[in-house]
Amino acid sequence: MRGTVQGVGFRPFVYRTACELGLSGWVGNDSRGVLLEAQGTPSALSALVRLLTSRPPPLAVVEQVEVLAVPVQAATGFVIAVTDVGGVPDVRVSADVAPCEACLAEVGDPADRRAGYPFVNCTDCGPRYTIVRAVPYDRPGTTMAPFTMCPPCQAEYDDPADRRFHAQPNACPDCGPTATWTAAGGGQLVGASALAAAADSLRSGGIVAVKGVGGYHLACDARDATAVEELRRRKQRPDQPLAVMVSDLAAADELCELDQEARAAVVSSRRPIVLAAVRPGADLAAEIAPRLTEVGVMLPSSPLHVLLLDAVARPLVMTSGNRSGEPVLHRDEQAHQVLGPLTDGVLAHDRAIHVRVDDSVLRSRTGGRLQMLRRARGWVPQPIRLPVPATSPVLAVGAQLKSTVALARGGTVVLSQHLGDLDAWPAYQAFAEAVEHLVGLTGVPPAVVAHDLHPDYRSTGWASQCGLPLLGVQHHHAHVAACLVEHGMHSPVLGIAFDGAGWGTDGTSWGGEFLVADLSRSTRVGHLAPVALPGGDAAVREPWRVALAWLHRSLGAEVAAEHGPRWDARWPAVLALAASGRAPETTSMGRLFDAVAALLGVVSHVTYEGQAAIELEALARTADPRKTPAYAFAVTAGRLDPGPALAELLEDRARGVPVAQLSAGFHRALAEASAELAAQAASQHHLDTVALTGGVFANVVLGDQLAERLRGRGLRVLQHVQLPPGDGSISVGQAAIAAACTSA
Ligand code: ZN
Ligand code: ZN
Ligand code: FE
C-alpha cells in the first residue's frame, strides 16, 4: 500500500481488520509504504483489500494498492512486523495534526496519568512531518528517539487494542518531553510551573516566546493595546497584521464573522490561521490589524497551546518568532538567542523540531471558497495530483519571494512548506535544507531541475550550480501552470497573471500579463502598459515613486510635479529619473496598486510586501457599492492603459469623494478592462477558459469582480483555492511544466 500510510495508524488498522476477518500473516512499514502478507479464505482476503481502501484511518491517503500471490507458509495469528529499513524510500509522511478529542479528554481528567500533560498524542493526532528526520516513519527516525518509553507507555504502544498502538511520538509525564520556562531575568522552571509562569507573564502584559509545532511564536495578550504595541516595536513589525489564537470556536465567533466553510477550516485538525471580517465591537486591540477590516484567527495547534490558552483565558497574539523578513526560528539555541532579548520569557520544551513549518493561512471570502494564502503546517507534505505525470523525477526550486520547492515523481508532486523570502540568508539556508529533506524523503535524485528565468534569484543560482539538467520556466507561465494543476487541466487557457514582478522572456520585468498557455507552451498576448520603475527595489518599498512615474507617463511632468512634494523631499530626482528613460520599465500590476494607493493618500511608504494593495482592498470592501464611480482604462491591441482612470481618480479626489469610493472605482475599472481584454484574446485564440493567477489575486474584491465579468461573457474561470495565488505556487507550476515537457 502506498500513499500517506505511515504515522497515521495504518498498521494497527490493518492488524485489527485482519484479525476481524480471521486472517493470519503480518504487516510492516517499509521504505515504500506499508507491506503486508495475509493468508486465509479467498473471500476474507478480498474483503481485506476492499476494507483497506474503503475505510482507512482518518489521516491516511491510500494512493496505490498492489496485490500479488506468494507461496503459503505456515503461520498462525496476525502480527505487526519489525520495521524493514532497506530499499529506496518513497513514502508519504503525514502532516502534523492538532490534538484529538480523546487526547484532550485525558489532559483534562485529573485522574488520568496524562492530566495537564502538554505532549499527549496518539495514532490519530500529534506532531508528524515536523519531527521526522528520515523514513521509514518509526520512532528512531524522529526527534522522539532520545525518549525511552516507560513501561505503561510501552504497553500502550505494544497493545493492538490500544489507541496508542504504534503511535511513534507516544509519551507521558514520566518518560516524554518536558516544558520549560526561562525567564528574561534568569531562572528556569519545568513542567506545570513552567506553563503557569508563562500564563502569569502573558496575563500581566508580558511578551512570551512559545515553542509551537513547527517553530517559535511571539505571544501577548490580544486585548492589551500596550502589549501589542510593545510586541510590534520589539519585533520591528509596525503594520503587518498579527494572528490571534483563541481557545475554541465560540471565542473565534466572538471576534470575527465566520461562514460555514471558514468555521470548518478553523476547527479542522490542520488548524490554519483563517482571515475573516472582524465583528464590530470585537474585544481586540486595534493594533492587531491597523487599517484592515479582517483578522486572522486560529485554534490551538498543540496540547501545549490548549493548556496555555486555558490558563490565560483570553485571546493571544501568536505571530511567527523571527527577525523581520527571516524564517520562523525552530532550533532552541538560536530561538533563545534571538527571541530571549525580545521577550519576558521563553516557554519551550525538549522535543526537537526537525523541520521548520509556519502556520498556514487561509482567507475567507463571502459566497466563495476559502482561499489558501500560505500553505504550510497541516498541509505539507500532502501530495498534489499532476495533470501530466512526471516520467522522471523533477525538482522545482520556485522563485525568490514566498519561496517553496516542489518534487514531482510519477503522478503527484509534493510542495514544500512556505520558506520565506530568499533575500534573507537564513531563508536561503531553509531553502537548501528543504531541498535536501524533500529529496531525502523520496531517496531518488531528481533527473531535471526546473527554475525561474530570473538570473538573480537565489533559487536560480542554486539550480545553476547543482550539476543536473536544467529547465528554465518563465515566471508567469509557472503561475498559470499552478492554476492548471489545481484544476487538473492541461489544455490551453487564457491566463491572467497579475503579480509584483517576474522576469519576462524579453528580459524586462513583467507582472500584468495575459498569456495563452498550456503546460508546455506560453505566449504573451496582452499586458499592462509599461511604466518606469524609478529606483528599482526602493520603488517597491516606496509606492510614491511609481505613483510619480505613472503620473508622468499618463498626465505629464507638470501634473507629476504638483503631486511630488506631498510624498517625499526626494521627488525632483525621482521624477527626473522617471522622465529620463534610463529607469527600468515594468508591466507590474502590483506596482499599479502601489501607485494608486499613493495617489489616493492611503500609503506612500510600506513596511511589508503587498501592504498598499491590501489596504486599498480593505477600503474598497467598506465602500457603498451603489456609489462606486465608473472609471475607464484604455484597452487597445492587447494593452491595458490605466491613464484615463488615473486622471478621473485625481479629479474625484480633489472634489472630496471618499477614498473608499475611489478605491472601489479603481477595482471595478480594472476588473472591467481586464475582462474586456481577456474576452478579446480568448475569442481571437478560440479559448473558452480563463485562469486567474499571481499574487495580486490574493485580492478577492478584484478576483471576484473579474470572475463575475468573465462568466458574464460566457467564459469559464479557474481560480486558486488549495494553492496560494502568489509565488508560493511557482514551484508547483514549474514542476508541472517540466513533467509535461519531459514526458512529451
Ligand atoms: Zn490523539
Ligand atoms: Zn511514559
Ligand atoms: Fe509572481
Side-chain angles (χ1 to χ4, degrees), residues 623-632 648-649 652-653 655 657-669 709:
D624 180 348
R626 288 162 308 178
K627 293 186 186 157
T628 303
Y631 303 132
E648 290 168 314
L649 275 168
D652 277 358
R653 182 167 189 263
R655 289 197 301 118
V657 176
V659 67
Q661 306 295 348
L662 301 177
S663 176
F666 169 70
H667 279 83
R668 185 183 285 185
R709 282 165 170 75

Side-chain angles (χ1 to χ4, degrees), residues 577-737:
L577 181 57
S580 70
R582 282 182 286 108
E585 291 205 319
T586 182
T587 57
S588 165
M589 190 56 76
R591 298 292 83 78
L592 177 62
F593 271 86
D594 287 356
V596 172
L599 286 178
L600 300 187
V602 175
V603 59
S604 57
H605 298 68
V606 297
T607 64
Y608 66 94
E609 200 212 350
Q611 182 182 348
I614 288 168
E615 294 194 12
L616 262 190
E617 188 203 357
L619 281 166
R621 287 160 76 98
T622 63
D624 180 348
R626 288 162 308 178
K627 293 186 186 157
T628 303
Y631 303 132
F633 282 41
V635 182
T636 45
R639 180 183 277 229
L640 286 187
D641 187 343
L646 297 180
E648 290 168 314
L649 275 168
L650 285 181
E651 269 173 43
D652 277 358
R653 182 167 189 263
R655 289 197 301 118
V657 176
V659 67
Q661 306 295 348
L662 301 177
S663 176
F666 169 70
H667 279 83
R668 185 183 285 185
L670 174 57
E672 187 56 43
S674 303
E676 193 183 325
L677 200 158
Q680 287 172 6
S683 117
Q684 196 181 343
H685 297 275
H686 313 290
L687 299 169
D688 59 5
T689 304
V690 181
L692 307 185
T693 186
V696 167
F697 286 106
N699 181 327
V700 299
V701 171
L702 176 67
D704 288 350
Q705 290 196 4
L706 177 50
E708 188 191 310
R709 282 165 170 75
L710 290 167
R711 288 191 198 104
R713 286 167 163 88
L715 293 159
R716 180 178 168 219
V717 181
L718 309 179
Q719 285 175 285
H720 285 284
V721 180
Q722 287 291 322
L723 294 173
D727 283 5
S729 297
I730 286 287
S731 62
V732 169
Q734 291 169 341
I737 289 167

